[in-house]
Amino acid sequence: MLDMSPEAPFMPTVQTGSDAHRPTMSTPAPDVDVPAEAGWRTLRRGRCFVYVLPCRESDVLKVGFSRDPLVRLQSLHARYFEVFDLDRALLAETDYVRDARRIELRLKQALSGEATPPPLVVREAAGGRTEWFRGAWPRAAALLEGICDEDGHLLHPQLSAWLRVRWFRDATLYEWSQQALQQLELATFNGAPDLARKLQRVLKNTLDACHAVGLRLEGKVPGAVVHWYRGGAGEVG
C-alpha cells in the first residue's frame, strides 16, 4: 500500500547512470571531508542544495538547504508548485553539506531585518520558522548569485528546470503511478471512498507537479495513467 501520511509524501529516488554503476565503498573516517564525487553519502557529506524559494501570491520567500529539494518541497505543501514560484526560485549546488550550511547562514544573516512568520498554508512541522523573509527577493537572489560566482558553486537559475530533470530521471515514476492507479481502482470498486479519495489526490498531485514543470507524461507513466489524468483525473464521489 502507498504511504499516505503527509509527513511521508511520495519521494521517488533518482538514480543517474553514474550512480547505477558506482561500486560499493566503505564509509570513511568521521574526520575526513569527502566531496560528492567520491561516492559516499552521509548526513554531512555529499551533494547538497541551497534554495531561495519565493511564494507565488505574496512577497514572502524561504531560504534553506536540502539534500533533495523535491523532498523538501513536498514536505512544505502537497501542491508546492502552486504555492511557490518555481520559475523564479534559485538553487545553488554544493559538493559539501558544510558549504550549504555556510551559504544558508550568510543569506539568513543578510536578510534578518526582513524576517517574517511562515505562511499559514505550509505545514507547520516542516516550515522552519526562522527561514522566511518578506520583501527580500531582489537582495536574496543577488546575494546567492554573487556567492556562487565567488565560490564557484553551480547556480540553477530556475528550480522548475531542475525539477523537470529530476522527474525525467526518476526510474520509479512509471511503476509507482501504475500501482497507484491500480490501488485507486481497487478501492473504488470495493466501496472504500475515503481511501480512493486519498489515492486519487496523491496521484493527481504527483502528475500535476510533473506537468507544472513541463515534463511530458507520455512515456514516463503508463498510457492508462495518462488517459486517467487527461480524462479528469478520476474524480471520486
Side-chain angles (χ1 to χ4, degrees):
M1 181 61 66
L2 300 173
D3 190 344
M4 305 302 302
S5 62
E7 289 72 23
F10 167 52
M11 297 182 289
T13 300
V14 173
Q15 188 176 49
T16 62
S18 59
D19 289 333
H21 301 289
R22 180 172 291 154
T24 302
M25 301 180 183
S26 59
T27 303
D31 58 345
V32 178
D33 207 353
V34 181
E37 291 79 2
W40 292 290
R41 286 179 62 87
T42 70
L43 290 177
R44 296 182 180 276
R45 302 181 180 89
R47 185 174 62 169
C48 196
F49 300 89
V50 181
Y51 55 82
V52 176
L53 194 60
C55 293
R56 280 189 179 276
E57 303 298 331
S58 69
D59 62 348
V60 172
L61 63 84
K62 186 181 188 304
V63 169
F65 73 92
S66 174
R67 298 295 293 269
D68 189 334
L70 174 57
V71 173
R72 186 68 178 117
L73 286 165
Q74 290 172 322
S75 73
L76 291 169
H77 197 282
R79 296 185 66 81
Y80 59 87
F81 46 89
E82 294 178 341
V83 175
F84 300 106
D85 188 341
L86 302 179
D87 288 335
R88 284 199 300 147
L90 301 177
L91 202 64
E93 183 173 338
T94 69
D95 290 332
Y96 301 95
V97 175
R98 59 179 169 83
D99 289 337
R101 290 183 184 276
R102 186 181 304 118
I103 295 172
E104 182 205 35
L105 181 60
R106 285 185 62 181
L107 291 171
K108 291 169 69 173
Q109 288 177 338
L111 304 175
S112 60
E114 287 78 38
T116 191
L120 296 177
V121 295
V122 301
R123 291 173 177 140
E124 184 175 358
R129 301 194 64 84
T130 64
E131 300 172 351
W132 299 87
F133 306 90
R134 183 178 297 277
W137 168 251
R139 290 184 59 207
L143 182 57
L144 185 60
E145 291 171 0
I147 292 173
C148 288
D149 285 341
E150 293 171 8
D151 298 343
H153 300 301
L154 176 62
L155 179 68
H156 300 274
Q158 283 188 320
L159 179 54
S160 57
W162 184 91
L163 288 168
R164 183 165 59 251
V165 175
R166 170 74 160 82
W167 283 114
F168 180 80
R169 290 178 175 174
D170 175 28
T172 69
L173 181 59
Y174 190 98
E175 183 178 358
W176 178 89
S177 62
Q178 183 177 52
Q179 293 179 356
L181 182 58
Q182 290 172 349
Q183 292 183 21
L184 168 58
E185 292 173 341
L186 187 64
T188 301
F189 295 149
N190 283 276
D194 291 343
L195 176 58
R197 276 190 290 269
K198 289 181 180 179
L199 290 165
Q200 185 266 352
R201 184 167 58 250
V202 170
L203 180 55
K204 185 176 186 300
N205 285 347
T206 300
L207 299 177
D208 281 347
C210 294
H211 177 74
V213 298
L215 178 67
R216 181 179 173 84
L217 293 176
E218 285 78 5
K220 288 303 298 177
V221 299
V225 175
V226 175
H227 179 75
W228 173 85
Y229 182 65
R230 304 293 187 208
E235 294 297 333
V236 179

